């Protein structure tokens, strides 16, 4: 088992990519802290993991709040005595041009997609520094943190920030056994993407277009993201830090 005896905290783990990662990490032996603002869906992921014989706990958290991030890390340490893997995955989109975007919408995207990562990592790093074998931090950025997408400038800026935050922290802690990487999903079939398509004038046409836009000819799955995330946080990637890994069916190769 690749994550035996490791403790992994995953934000945004109630659905989509985070849920698939929680299930996969637990399957590989990790004790998983499922952190999410959606308590009902988060608890059902915990039930699923326990039903499969794994170990998991739920923590209700709004990653926009500094104090919630502090409590979530404390709860993890109280429950398991350590924190080996911090996976900041919670994120939100904002498909609007800049002039259409209100102040509070800018704040919300930056708070969730950027400040949430900073707060969580700020509380996790001292714990990992105290541990003999360090730890691994992963941020879910996006292909839009590597190449821009039309009509989503605030989202793109937030994901670009996630990529550079990972690289900057990777340098700061390279000699302390703390690896920091970014996962850059392409277009993945999750509740987020379904909501995005449903908001289009013709959702079915929008969905077909997403599929056709992918060099590989289809959308990615949360499970495919989970395989890449598992490798990045596991000891198999022990010489990998400061990397932004596209999981995008070739999108950023174009
Ligand atoms: P999703 O909407 O399906 O799931 C996101 C989860 O994050 C939900 O469980 C939600 O409750 C939680 N969440 C949202 N705001 C939160 C907050 N303030 N505090 C705590 N939890 C919160 O989304 P997804 O598609 O699985 O996306 C996961 C990550 O992947 C996000 O960072 C997203 O930007 C990124 N991403 C997704 C795609 C895609 O095509 N689906 C592509 C690139 C990047």
């Amino acid at each position: 088992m690749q994550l035996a005896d490791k403790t992994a905290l995953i934000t945004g783990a109630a659905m989509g990519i985070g849920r698939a990662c929680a299930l996969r990490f637990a399957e590989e032996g990790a004790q998983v802290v499922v952190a999410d603002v959606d308590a009902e869906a988060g608890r059902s992921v915990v039930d699923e993991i326990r039903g499969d014989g794994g170990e998991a706990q739920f923590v209700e958290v709004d990653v926009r709040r500094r104090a919630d991030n502090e409590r979530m890390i404390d709860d993890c340490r109280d429950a398991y005595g350590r924190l080996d893997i911090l996976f900041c995955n919670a994120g939100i989109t904002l498909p609007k041009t800049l002039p259409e975007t209100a102040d509070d919408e800018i704040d919300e995207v930056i708070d969730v997609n950027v400040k949430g990562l900073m707060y969580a990592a700020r509380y996790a790093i001292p714990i990992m520094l105290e541990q003999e074998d360090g730890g691994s931090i992963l941020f879910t950025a996006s292909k839009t943190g590597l190449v821009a997408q039309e009509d989503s400038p605030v989202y793109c800026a937030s994901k670009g920030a996630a990529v550079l935050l990972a690289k900057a922290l990777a340098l700061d802690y390279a000699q302390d056994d703390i690896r920091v990487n970014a996962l850059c999903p392409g277009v993945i079939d999750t509740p987020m993407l379904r909501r995005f398509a449903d908001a289009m004038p013709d959702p079915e046409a929008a969905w077909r277009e997403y599929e056709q836009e992918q060099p590989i000819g289809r959308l990615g799955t949360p499970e495919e993201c989970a395989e890449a995330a598992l490798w990045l946080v596991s000891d198999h990637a022990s010489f990998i830090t400061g990397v932004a890994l596209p999981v995008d069916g070739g999108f950023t190769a174009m």
Side-chain angles (χ1 to χ4, degrees):
M1 295 226 263
Q2 295 184 53
L3 303 182
D5 301 325
K6 304 241 187 220
T7 296
L9 190 160
I10 308 176
T11 69
M15 62 188 80
I17 294 168
R19 172 181 170 275
C21 291
L23 296 172
R24 188 71 186 96
F25 288 15
E27 204 175 83
E28 287 297 329
Q31 301 158 326
V32 180
V33 177
V34 171
D36 206 287
V37 75
D38 184 335
E40 196 185 335
R43 289 205 172 93
S44 85
V45 174
V46 167
D47 290 344
E48 225 177 318
I49 290 172
R50 289 181 182 162
D52 291 340
E55 169 58 34
Q57 305 232 356
F58 175 71
V59 179
E60 188 170 344
V61 61
D62 183 338
V63 298
R64 293 176 298 179
R65 300 199 186 116
R66 186 200 54 72
D68 278 23
N69 282 279
E70 184 176 21
R71 180 175 47 78
M72 131 185 126
I73 304 278
D74 283 349
D75 283 0
C76 178
R77 185 157 59 171
D78 290 350
Y80 299 115
R82 52 189 297 115
L83 173 59
D84 301 291
I85 296 159
L86 171 69
F87 183 11
C88 297
N89 163 79
I92 54 171
T93 49
L94 183 58
K96 285 188 175 181
T97 66
L98 202 50
E100 288 167 349
T101 306
D103 290 359
D104 60 343
E105 291 174 317
I106 294 177
D107 288 344
E108 191 180 12
V109 170
I110 300 301
D111 285 354
V112 175
N113 294 3
V114 184
K115 286 166 75 177
L117 317 185
M118 291 177 176
Y119 289 145
R122 194 167 72 178
Y123 290 113
I125 287 166
I127 295 175
M128 291 179 174
L129 286 173
E130 276 170 23
Q131 293 172 176
E132 232 172 57
D133 46 357
S136 175
I137 298 176
L138 182 61
F139 299 146
T140 301
S142 170
K143 70 171 172 54
T144 57
L146 302 172
V147 294
Q149 170 182 312
E150 287 160 342
D151 300 334
S152 296
V154 179
Y155 182 69
C156 289
S158 74
K159 293 302 188 179
V163 167
L164 260 296
L165 181 63
K167 288 177 185 277
L169 292 175
L171 287 186
D172 286 350
Y173 298 100
Q175 299 199 1
D176 298 302
D177 279 336
I178 301 176
R179 297 183 301 107
V180 190
N181 292 294
L183 186 76
C184 296
V187 185
I188 311 297
D189 185 352
T190 67
M192 175 191 275
L193 191 71
R194 296 269 165 192
R195 286 193 301 274
F196 197 81
D198 287 348
M200 298 290 158
D202 184 346
E204 278 185 31
W207 200 261
R208 274 197 305 278
E209 204 176 308
Y210 298 151
E211 289 173 337
Q212 284 158 6
E213 279 170 7
Q214 312 312 312
I216 218 165
R218 64 171 176 84
L219 302 182
T221 66
E223 290 72 26
E224 288 172 313
C225 291
E227 289 304 325
L230 171 63
W231 179 73
L232 278 173
V233 302
S234 77
D235 293 340
H236 289 297
S238 52
F239 202 55
I240 312 292
T241 194
V243 154
L245 181 70
V247 184
D248 68 354
F251 195 95
T252 49
M254 289 195 287

